[in-house]
Amino acid sequence: MASSSSDPDKLITKLSFTRWNADWKSATSLYEQAAIAYRFKKENEKAKDAFEKASKGQEMISSASEFYRECGRAQPASDALAKGASFLEDNTPDEAIKMYDEACSILEEDGKEQMAFDLYRAAASLYVKLEKYSDAAATFLRLGSAADKCNAINSQCKGYLSAIIIYLYAHDFQQAQKCYNDCSEVQAFLNSDQNRCAMKLLSAYEEGDAEGIKQAAQSSAIKHLDHVVIRLAKKLPTGDLQTIKKLADDDGEDSLDENDLT
């Protein structure tokens, strides 16, 4: 039996008790729920109208952020988008990600990368929820680059390790290995516990050692990462280990051939 919250007419009726200008969050949420319910009932015109009204709330967020930017106030401009993104995560995650991205960019342009760390994490977590793993890994790498500018070494190394774990979870061993090699060019990461953990993971993958992977995934370096990454690490290994091992062996043979001068 459908709950009352799935009845679009009741949702719209509830809006009469919602002050649109004072409580745009509640109004936007109700309109979005109603739009989805109308669409489910194939009442397309009502769904379209509800979606259009829901979009007004998103426009208010963007307008507020733009106003702060014009006043030279990067932090409140970013905060407005971040709050809106957090609110939109469940119903319109793609729009939420755009807002998180813009909120991060505002802080980056103002040289306040450290204030964006939580926003990078929120966006990456949402990408994982949407199973957009390459985007999630790229966001953690973006966090790492931002942390580098702030000399926030611990956050930088955690961002790099998070990206590697996500690539492994997505069965992309080659990208994980490339990511590791690129990040290891950064001295701070090369000498870190996160680097050693990543190296153990990749070595176990190359050897097709499932137990070794599980053991490496329990390291203290991983226990201090974001919860979304810890959950992925606990599920390792994923994919066909023998195929990964073969790819690693083939790469090793190619490398030997390139260095063979005889």
Side-chain angles (χ1 to χ4, degrees):
M1 181 177 177
S3 66
S4 60
S5 63
S6 65
D7 186 331
D9 294 318
K10 288 185 178 180
L11 290 169
I12 295 299
T13 300
K14 188 174 179 181
L15 280 164
S16 64
F17 301 101
T18 302
R19 292 180 301 164
W20 172 258
N21 291 328
D23 194 4
W24 59 267
K25 286 187 177 183
S26 296
T28 301
S29 176
L30 290 170
Y31 273 124
E32 285 179 339
Q33 292 175 54
I36 293 169
Y38 277 133
R39 189 167 59 182
F40 181 77
K41 294 176 68 175
K42 300 188 184 303
E43 296 184 35
N44 295 330
E45 284 303 314
K46 288 184 177 181
K48 179 182 176 183
D49 182 61
F51 272 125
E52 287 176 352
K53 289 177 179 177
S55 71
K56 290 182 180 179
Q58 298 174 24
E59 290 172 7
M60 290 175 68
I61 299 168
S62 297
S63 296
S65 176
E66 187 61 30
F67 172 78
Y68 283 123
R69 292 186 76 174
E70 289 175 357
C71 295
R73 301 180 63 189
Q75 186 66 59
S78 176
D79 287 346
L81 289 170
K83 289 176 182 177
S86 176
F87 168 69
L88 294 173
E89 280 190 12
D90 291 335
N91 293 328
T92 51
D94 289 333
E95 188 65 29
I97 284 175
K98 290 179 184 177
M99 286 188 172
Y100 278 131
D101 181 73
E102 188 177 350
C104 291
S105 295
I106 289 171
L107 294 174
E108 289 169 351
E109 291 169 7
D110 202 51
K112 296 179 179 177
E113 287 88 354
Q114 193 160 5
M115 304 299 293
F117 287 2
D118 286 342
L119 303 182
Y120 294 126
R121 295 186 182 104
S125 178
L126 191 50
Y127 273 129
V128 169
K129 183 178 179 181
L130 296 173
E131 298 184 356
K132 295 183 177 181
Y133 299 116
S134 293
D135 290 325
T139 303
F140 273 117
L141 291 174
R142 186 179 176 188
L143 188 161
S145 296
D148 185 34
K149 294 178 182 178
C150 308
N151 199 32
I153 294 174
N154 190 45
S155 293
Q156 179 183 10
C157 294
K158 287 164 70 174
Y160 292 162
L161 176 58
S162 295
I164 292 166
I165 289 171
I166 291 171
Y167 282 130
L168 289 175
Y169 179 81
H171 313 163
D172 197 344
F173 174 78
Q174 290 181 317
Q175 190 60 41
Q177 194 168 50
K178 182 181 183 301
C179 182
Y180 172 79
N181 292 336
D182 290 344
C183 293
S184 293
E185 293 182 8
V186 179
Q187 193 65 35
F189 181 68
L190 186 62
N191 298 327
S192 68
D193 289 340
Q194 288 83 4
N195 178 286
R196 286 183 282 275
C197 175
M199 186 166 56
K200 288 179 181 178
L201 274 172
L202 291 170
S203 295
Y205 266 93
E206 288 176 339
E207 295 167 7
D209 182 2
E211 287 304 315
I213 293 168
K214 291 177 181 178
Q215 185 174 356
Q218 295 176 2
S219 73
S220 59
I222 290 179
K223 291 178 181 178
H224 290 92
L225 299 179
D226 285 21
H227 292 304
V228 66
V229 181
I230 294 173
R231 286 195 294 271
L232 297 184
K234 287 181 178 179
K235 297 177 182 178
L236 297 178
T238 58
D240 186 346
L241 281 183
Q242 293 308 310
T243 299
I244 291 172
K245 183 177 184 300
K246 186 177 184 304
L247 286 171
D249 290 342
D250 290 344
D251 287 343
E253 289 175 5
D254 290 342
S255 178
L256 287 173
D257 290 342
E258 289 172 4
N259 295 323
D260 187 358
L261 302 180
T262 59

